[in-house]
Amino acid sequence: MKRIILTLLSLFAIQTLTFGQQEGKTSDGKTVLLYEDGTWLYADSIPLYSVKTKSIAKLELPKTNATDKIIAHTGYSLLYNETHEQANWVAYNLTIEETNKLFERTDKFIADPKVKTGTASNKDYEDSGYDRGHLAPASDMGWSSTTMAESFFYSNMSPQIPSFNRGIWKKLEELVRTWAIENKSVYVVTGPVLTNGLPTIGLNKVSIPNYYYKVVLDYSEPDIKGIGFVLPNIGSKEQLEYYAVPIDSVEKITGIDFFPLLEDEEEALIERTLCIACWSWKNSKTTGKKVENKATAAVQCNGITKAGARCKKKTLDLSGYCYNHEGQTNSASLKSNTTAIESNPNKTTKSNSAAVQCSGTTKSGKECKRMTTNASGRCYQH
């Protein structure tokens, strides 16, 4: 009886949903999430899990065939589809520091010089009614002038309805940046769902996808997690959670094998699990640090690596330390303050004129909620 009810609910979902999720009930009252592809999950028993992660080079790249030619740019890689004149996918690792936008949009759309067969052009999109929708967002590539310029290659564009591109798609891009800030780093793969018989624009016959997907992997301890999205190429007022699906579902729709470099058991667990509660759903356009703690230009980190060399990362934090070496701020500040007090015992520690939220991170990985007037931007505990 339980299987019959689930089957009927799944059929109902297929007929009425557009790659979104809908809650249903089993005969014994348990809540399930239903998807258009007929898959379902128990909504109230999806586990959190923890594994020991390791460094994996090019983890973001999907599985490719021997004949596939991956094009690598500075900030992202892609697999180009000549038939549809756009990428099958773009993939990149977005770190917390790369969410600091140092360079503004160029809005200079140009052909990708690495696509030898040629890409779409301005004329393909002129008067088409479609936006040149970024797959790898320009805002994810603002950490260098090169990455920003490369984000406007036509190999990174796909025809998107304006209300979609400037609406829910933009919200999803902003949300992914928030996740990169909260989790220090995320792996992102984005692309159009390309099928035969799609309508086209321009002389180059650029296909107009009906759907777009995005998969995100947080591969950082203590809890790793993955999530997928499939969104119709139309404006939508739905919450982003509505379009969340397991990565397995995106693989079934696209035929793409994501994150193949993970160990098989680990990959299977991550890709079949959907934990809505494991992710935050409120966008943040900053790294979570107060404006008072940001410099106007990036400087080289003052931190010292384990090998004893100075860190080569750039940072906007007024402390002069990147997130990898923010813990060294404490010892540096303590040494500076001690020297100052010894030289002038009557002088008080320098402080801000107004209290700001501490920029320190707790043991659980969350931002400290204490307020501080210390010029370092950190409370006494951090």
Side-chain angles (χ1 to χ4, degrees):
M1 182 64 181
K2 178 178 176 181
R3 181 177 296 179
I4 293 174
I5 290 175
L6 287 173
T7 301
L8 290 174
L9 288 171
S10 298
L11 288 174
F12 175 76
I14 291 173
Q15 293 171 355
T16 60
L17 299 183
T18 347
F19 290 115
Q21 56 174 286
Q22 178 170 305
E23 287 191 357
K25 295 286 186 180
T26 64
S27 58
D28 55 0
K30 292 184 178 179
T31 302
V32 294
L33 297 176
L34 307 170
Y35 299 94
E36 189 181 26
D37 64 0
T39 61
W40 59 274
L41 292 168
Y42 283 113
D44 52 0
S45 61
I46 298 171
L48 287 170
Y49 49 92
S50 180
V51 299
K52 188 71 175 178
T53 61
K54 57 185 177 181
S55 178
I56 303 176
K58 299 182 179 180
L59 176 57
E60 70 274 16
L61 297 182
K63 186 176 182 179
T64 54
N65 300 319
T67 55
D68 290 334
K69 295 182 179 179
I70 297 177
I71 294 175
H73 293 303
T74 307
Y76 65 94
S77 299
L78 66 92
L79 180 64
Y80 196 74
N81 188 314
E82 177 63 26
T83 300
H84 296 278
E85 291 293 3
Q86 58 199 282
N88 279 330
W89 51 259
V90 300
Y92 55 99
N93 175 213
L94 182 64
T95 67
I96 184 173
E97 287 202 327
E98 290 169 349
T99 64
N100 285 319
K101 189 176 179 181
L102 305 180
F103 296 86
E104 295 300 320
R105 291 171 60 101
T106 64
D107 286 317
K108 185 179 180 181
F109 296 87
I110 58 175
D112 187 337
K114 291 189 176 183
V115 179
K116 302 305 181 183
T117 55
T119 59
S121 66
N122 291 329
K123 290 185 178 180
D124 290 315
Y125 284 85
E126 282 181 0
D127 301 319
S128 69
Y130 289 89
D131 280 0
R132 292 169 288 195
H134 282 71
L135 298 177
S139 293
D140 287 3
M141 300 294 149
W143 45 276
S144 84
S145 58
T146 299
T147 54
M148 177 58 78
E150 290 177 345
S151 75
F152 284 88
F153 286 156
Y154 269 107
S155 58
N156 188 40
M157 301 299 137
S158 184
Q160 295 182 342
I161 291 176
S163 58
F164 171 75
N165 180 42
R166 306 170 198 180
I168 194 165
W169 188 246
K170 181 180 179 182
K171 290 180 181 178
L172 179 55
E173 292 172 341
E174 292 171 349
L175 186 60
V176 171
R177 281 190 288 279
T178 297
W179 291 345
I181 293 167
E182 294 175 342
N183 299 291
K184 305 296 186 184
S185 170
V186 291
Y187 296 91
V188 187
V189 188
T190 303
V193 179
L194 300 175
T195 58
N196 295 329
L198 291 173
T200 63
I201 57 171
L203 293 175
N204 285 310
K205 297 188 180 302
V206 183
S207 295
I208 305 170
N210 293 320
Y211 298 92
Y212 288 89
Y213 68 86
K214 191 182 291 287
V215 297
V216 182
L217 170 66
D218 165 26
Y219 195 63
S220 57
E221 297 177 24
D223 298 311
I224 66 169
K225 53 189 178 290
I227 193 168
F229 295 87
V230 180
L231 292 82
N233 188 10
I234 56 174
S236 173
K237 296 186 181 299
E238 293 285 355
Q239 297 297 313
L240 285 168
E241 296 96 312
Y242 174 78
Y243 295 105
V245 296
I247 295 175
D248 271 348
S249 292
V250 185
E251 290 185 332
K252 290 178 182 178
I253 293 165
T254 62
I256 299 172
D257 181 3
F258 300 105
F259 311 119
L261 296 181
L262 293 173
E263 294 182 3
D264 291 344
E265 290 186 3
E266 187 179 39
E267 180 185 3
L269 175 61
I270 294 171
E271 295 185 351
R272 72 169 180 256
T273 303
L274 176 65
C275 180
I276 297 294
C278 297
W279 302 88
S280 65
W281 296 93
K282 185 176 181 180
N283 288 340
S284 171
K285 295 184 180 180
T286 70
T287 57
K289 297 182 179 179
K290 298 295 182 181
V291 175
E292 293 89 344
N293 293 328
K294 271 193 176 181
T296 56
V299 296
Q300 184 178 351
C301 172
N302 291 320
I304 303 300
T305 66
K306 292 180 180 180
R310 183 179 176 183
C311 175
K312 294 183 179 180
K313 288 186 172 69
K314 296 285 189 178
T315 181
L316 284 172
D317 197 293
L318 284 179
S319 69
Y321 292 83
C322 73
Y323 73 92
N324 276 336
H325 297 106
E326 59 188 4
Q328 295 180 13
T329 307
N330 297 336
S331 57
S333 297
L334 180 60
K335 182 178 180 181
S336 175
N337 289 339
T338 301
T339 303
I341 292 171
E342 287 176 347
S343 63
N344 186 357
N346 296 320
K347 188 174 181 180
T348 58
T349 303
K350 186 177 179 182
S351 63
N352 290 325
S353 57
V356 297
Q357 185 178 347
C358 173
S359 60
T361 302
T362 66
K363 291 182 179 179
S364 63
K366 296 181 180 179
E367 185 176 357
C368 176
K369 294 185 178 180
R370 288 187 176 85
M371 302 299 285
T372 180
T373 57
N374 194 297
S376 70
R378 295 174 185 274
C379 72
Y380 69 96
Q381 284 195 334
H382 296 109

